[in-house]
Amino acid sequence: MDFRLLRYFIAVAEELHLARAAERLGIEQSPVSRAMRDLESQLGVQLFDRSTRLTRLTWAGQVFLGECRRVQATVEQAVKSAKAAAQGCQGHLRIASLAQPRIATLLARSREDEPELEIRVFELPFAQQLKMLHNDLLDIGFGLSNAVHDGLVAEPVWTDPLSVIVPARHPLLAHVQVPLAEALKFPLVLCHPESGSGCRHQIQALLQDAGTPLKLVDEVTSLGVMLTLVGAGYGIGFSIASQVQTLQRPDISIRPLAGIPPMLSTYLLRRHGEPSEPMKRFIERVKDEAAPVDEEPVL
């Protein structure tokens, strides 16, 4: 299969809009549309639901997106490894990141403290992080779940309040702080349990504690897709406010929950065993970053 088709598919699947995907790829829209038809023909499955005005991924498309991201990350890692070897680079860390300001701060500090250390950063769903950690294709991951396999460790590093994500025009925007019971009156768009950052398990447990039946209308593969459907009015979502704010979308708004908000834990993921020296130093920086927020030791 032409790797170009996978790149095109990832762009269309993440944007859910042919024109935006074409602009992101730097090409005309017609080759992108033709490539998606060719890809579905090669696979023999329907990847997109085009029955409504909004392009959406089928479940087969969502699963394929996760696998395509894994393939893309593996290819990018292979290229970077070859270049690093040619330049005589010795130390390196392979890190799967979340779109969180704290992690950006950690990466910036690592570059400042150890400019000679090569850090390769990937954006991977939680399930793919576990696979790559297990197969020694990744050194450190970050996720919003501690449901790891044997041989892996999930260590809580910090917590963030859960916020509600709504379309730019929505009745809940009448509240400066949204009561959870009011939010749960509306349809929900949540990440699939096997996709995204792993947040579904935590979020669903927190919401079910409210004792209100959940009106789930869709399960998606990533935060980006969730925000697209929320912005289009399919429902509301829940996430960490700082994570959503990094994406700067004008079609959604963020509101804190009223009272003492539920908290989401972020976990550092790694293999069992003694970490390498670069990993130890990175974990120390994680502890330093978490210390002002969490009073108890986290690692």
Side-chain angles (χ1 to χ4, degrees), residues 47-298:
L47 300 173
F48 297 96
D49 179 4
R50 305 176 180 86
S51 59
T52 63
R53 288 186 300 172
L54 180 70
T55 300
R56 301 172 63 187
L57 286 171
T58 62
W59 176 237
Q62 294 185 38
V63 172
F64 190 60
L65 176 59
E67 295 300 321
C68 286
R69 285 175 171 151
R70 180 181 63 82
V71 171
Q72 185 181 52
T74 301
V75 170
E76 290 175 352
Q77 180 177 321
V79 171
K80 291 179 180 178
S81 296
K83 291 181 177 179
Q87 296 169 0
C89 185
Q90 298 297 321
H92 67 269
L93 281 180
R94 301 160 298 178
I95 298 174
S97 178
L98 298 174
Q100 291 187 2
R102 280 197 185 99
I103 298 177
T105 301
L106 283 168
L107 295 172
R109 181 179 164 191
S110 294
R111 291 186 63 194
E112 182 178 346
D113 291 350
E114 296 185 74
E116 73 284 357
L117 176 66
E118 182 192 8
I119 297 181
R120 309 167 203 165
V121 182
F122 306 94
E123 182 182 6
L124 298 169
F126 179 74
Q128 295 300 332
Q129 291 192 42
L130 300 187
K131 290 180 183 179
M132 294 182 70
L133 284 166
H134 182 75
N135 293 325
D136 197 19
L137 296 173
L138 197 65
D139 298 307
I140 291 174
F142 286 95
L144 296 175
S145 172
N146 62 353
V148 299
H149 309 316
D150 291 341
L152 301 181
V153 180
E155 300 168 305
V157 290
W158 54 68
T159 59
D160 293 279
L162 186 67
S163 296
V164 61
I165 317 301
V166 299
R169 296 181 178 179
H170 194 274
L172 287 178
L173 293 178
H175 300 276
V176 176
Q177 295 183 327
V178 178
L180 182 57
E182 289 298 313
L184 294 182
K185 293 178 181 180
F186 294 90
L188 301 180
V189 179
L190 300 178
C191 283
H192 191 274
E194 302 301 323
S195 300
S197 62
C199 63
R200 172 64 179 275
H201 302 287
Q202 283 197 77
I203 289 177
Q204 184 157 332
L206 293 172
L207 298 184
Q208 287 178 336
D209 285 345
T212 302
L214 305 183
K215 300 177 181 180
L216 183 62
V217 295
D218 213 334
E219 297 177 313
V220 297
T221 57
S222 68
L223 176 64
V225 177
M226 185 264 279
L227 296 183
T228 295
L229 294 186
V230 170
Y234 278 71
I236 67 170
F238 291 90
S239 185
I240 297 170
S242 61
Q243 195 168 353
V244 176
Q245 287 165 347
T246 61
L247 302 178
Q248 297 181 341
R249 296 189 58 133
D251 55 345
I252 57 96
S253 293
I254 307 167
R255 285 288 189 273
L257 290 167
I260 301 175
M263 305 296 286
L264 288 188
S265 295
T266 297
Y267 297 88
L268 183 146
L269 315 171
R270 63 178 180 87
R271 291 182 297 280
H272 271 296
E274 186 70 11
S276 67
E277 289 304 316
M279 284 180 63
K280 287 181 181 178
R281 293 190 293 271
F282 187 85
I283 290 172
E284 283 300 316
R285 296 185 192 104
V286 174
K287 293 170 65 175
D288 291 344
E289 177 66 24
V293 180
D294 298 306
E295 296 180 357
E296 300 179 357
V298 292

